[in-house]
C-alpha cells in the first residue's frame, strides 16, 4: 500500500521548534504530521494510507469508540543512535502485540508491515522533531479507533489507524531515582478480562487508583490480582522484577491479567545473560514484605518503554510500609538499565537484533 504524502503547509517555524525541543517534557508537544490508514469491512478492509499534517479529525457523534470504547494503542520510541541514524527498538513486537489487542477488542488486525511502514514514514516525515536534549527520543503513539456511526452493540465495521509523534525528554532528569509505590485496593484486571490488551479502558480504570497513590505522595500505583488480592501483578504501566540474594530473579507470569511488556521480555533475556536464573512465577505481597525485611530480597525493578528500568525503593499499603534494600537504586537494576539503554542508543552491541535502523 502506498502512503500519499502531504507535507504540512505551515509547519512550526524552525526557531519555535528548536526552542520547544530544548525541554519537551512528556506527551504535550506534538510533531507536524500524522499517519492515517482507514478500514471499512465493506470496502475490502484497509485502504487510503496517508502521511499528512497533524490536525483534528472529524468523527460522527455516534462513532462507536465514543460509546463502547473500541480503542487500542501502542507506545514506542524512535532513538537517535550514536552514529546519528534513527532507530526503533523491537517494533515488530509492538506490531504483533497491537494485533493481539485488536483480536481481544473485536477489531480488525492490521498487517504488521503496514504498522511498521506507518511508523517508519512518521519518523522520516518528522525527523526534525527529534529532541536535542540528552536522553531524548521521539515517542510514537500508534492507535486504532472504531469510527462507524452505530449505537447497536456489536463490533464496528469502520476504523481508523493513526500514528502521532511526541518528542520526549529524558524521563528522569538525572539517572533513575528509586520510586515509591502505593498498593491499591482497586483491581486493574480480572481473569478473562482485558488486562493483557493495551486498550484505553484499562487506563481509564486506573486513574482513580493512580490519583490515590499521588495524593498519598507516591509515584506509582501497584495492583494485586483481582481474585485472591494477594499476588503482585504490575504497576499502572510497568512490569516488575524481584532480585533475590540467592542469584534468582522473579517476575510475575503472563496469566492474562498482566500487560506483556516488551521491556519485560527484553529484561528476562538480559538478566539471564548476567548468569542469573529468571523465573516467571507468582510472588505475593506478603512474600515481598517478608523478603524485603529479611534481606532475602535485594532489589525490585519496574520496567516499561517510557521510563525503561526504574528501581522501586518503597511500598506502602493500608497495612503499613516497607523499604527495599537501602531504598535507593540497586546494583543489578543499574547494570541492566545501562545495558538496555546502551543497546537502544547503539553504544552496546545489539547481539539480539533488537534495533531496527531506519536510515
Ligand atoms: C505498555 C504497558 C506496559 C509496558 O510495556 P512495554 O512494552 O515494556 O512498554 C506495562 N504495563 C501496562 C499496563 C502497559 O500498558
Amino acid at each position: 500500500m502506498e502512503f500519499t504524502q502531504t507535507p504540512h503547509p505551515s509547519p512550526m517555524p524552525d526557531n519555535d521548534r528548536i526552542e520547544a525541543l530544548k525541554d519537551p517534557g512528556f506527551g504535550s508537544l506534538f510533531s507536524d504530521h500524522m499517519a492515517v490508514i482507514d478500514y471499512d469491512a465493506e470496502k475490502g478492509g484497509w485502504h487510503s494510507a496517508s502521511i499528512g499534517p497533524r490536525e483534528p479529525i472529524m468523527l460522527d457523534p455516534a462513532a462507536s469508540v465514543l460509546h463502547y470504547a473500541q480503542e487500542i494503542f501502542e507506545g514506542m520510541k524512535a532513538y537517535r543512535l550514536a552514529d546519528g541514524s534513527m532507530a526503533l527498538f523491537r517494533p515488530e513486537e509492538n506490531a504483533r502485540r497491537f494485533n493481539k489487542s485488536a483480536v481481544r477488542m473485536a477489531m480488525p488486525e492490521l498487517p504488521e508491515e503496514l504498522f511498521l511502514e506507518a511508523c517508519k514514514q512518521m519518523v522520516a516525515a518528522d525527523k526534525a522533531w527529534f529532541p536535542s536534549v540528552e536522553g531524548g527520543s521521539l515517542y510514537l503513539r500508534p492507535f486504532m479507533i472504531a469510527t462507524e456511526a452505530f449505537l447497536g452493540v456489536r463490533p464496528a465495521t469502520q476504523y481508523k489507524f493513526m500514528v502521532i509523534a511526541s518528542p520526549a525528554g529524558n524521563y528522569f532528569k538525572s539517572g533513575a531515582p528509586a520510586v515509591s509505590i502505593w498498593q491499591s485496593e482497586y483491581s486493574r484486571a480480572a481473569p478473562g478480562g482485558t488486562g493483557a490488551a493495551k486498550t484505553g479502558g484499562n487506563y481509564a480504570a486506573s486513574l482513580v487508583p493512580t490519583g490515590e497513590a499521588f495524593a498519598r505522595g507516591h509515584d506509582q500505583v501497584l495492583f494485586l490480582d483481582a481474585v485472591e488480592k494477594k499476588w503482585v501483578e504490575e504497576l499502572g504501566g510497568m512490569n516488575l522484577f524481584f532480585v533475590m540474594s540467592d542469584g534468582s530473579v522473579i517476575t510475575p507470569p503472563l496469566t492474562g491479567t498482566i500487560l506483556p511488556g516488551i521491556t519485560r521480555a527484553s529484561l528476562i533475556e538480559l538478566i539471564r545473560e548476567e548468569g542469573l536464573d529468571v523465573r516467571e512465577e507468582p510472588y505475593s505481597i506478603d512474600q515481598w514484605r517478608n523478603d524485603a525485611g529479611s534481606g532475602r530480597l535485594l532489589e525490585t525493578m519496574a520496567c516499561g518503554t517510557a521510563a525503561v528500568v526504574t528501581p522501586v525503593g518503597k511500598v506502602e499499603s493500608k497495612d503499613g510500609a516497607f523499604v527495599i534494600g537501602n531504598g535507593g537504586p540497586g546494583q543489578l537494576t543499574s547494570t541492566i538499565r545501562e545495558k538496555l539503554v546502551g543497546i537502544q542508543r547503539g553504544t552496546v552491541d545489539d547481539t539480539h537484533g533488537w534495533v531496527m535502523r531506519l536510515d
Side-chain angles (χ1 to χ4, degrees), residues 233-249:
E233 297 223 304
E234 63 172 314
L235 305 187
M238 286 196 264
N239 297 118
L240 289 167
F241 285 80
F242 306 94
V243 183
M244 301 299 167
S245 58
D246 65 1
S248 65
V249 177

Side-chain angles (χ1 to χ4, degrees), residues 65 67-73 105 107 144 187-189 193-209 223 236:
V65 64
H67 304 273
Y68 309 126
Q70 265 190 301
E71 188 270 356
I72 57 171
F73 66 96
M105 304 310 286
M107 299 169 86
M144 193 203 314
S187 298
R188 175 183 171 275
T194 59
K198 219 167 167 73
T199 183
N202 290 338
Y203 277 77
S206 76
L207 296 178
V208 164
F223 292 107

Side-chain angles (χ1 to χ4, degrees), residues 22 26 124 151 157 177 222 237 329 345:
K22 285 181 185 163
F26 183 81
L151 293 182
T157 59
L222 165 72
R345 304 269 164 184

Side-chain angles (χ1 to χ4, degrees), residues 174-213:
S174 55
V179 296
S180 151
I181 64 182
W182 167 253
Q183 181 218 307
S184 181
E185 295 296 308
Y186 285 97
S187 298
R188 175 183 171 275
T194 59
K198 219 167 167 73
T199 183
N202 290 338
Y203 277 77
S206 76
L207 296 178
V208 164
T210 303
E212 286 186 357

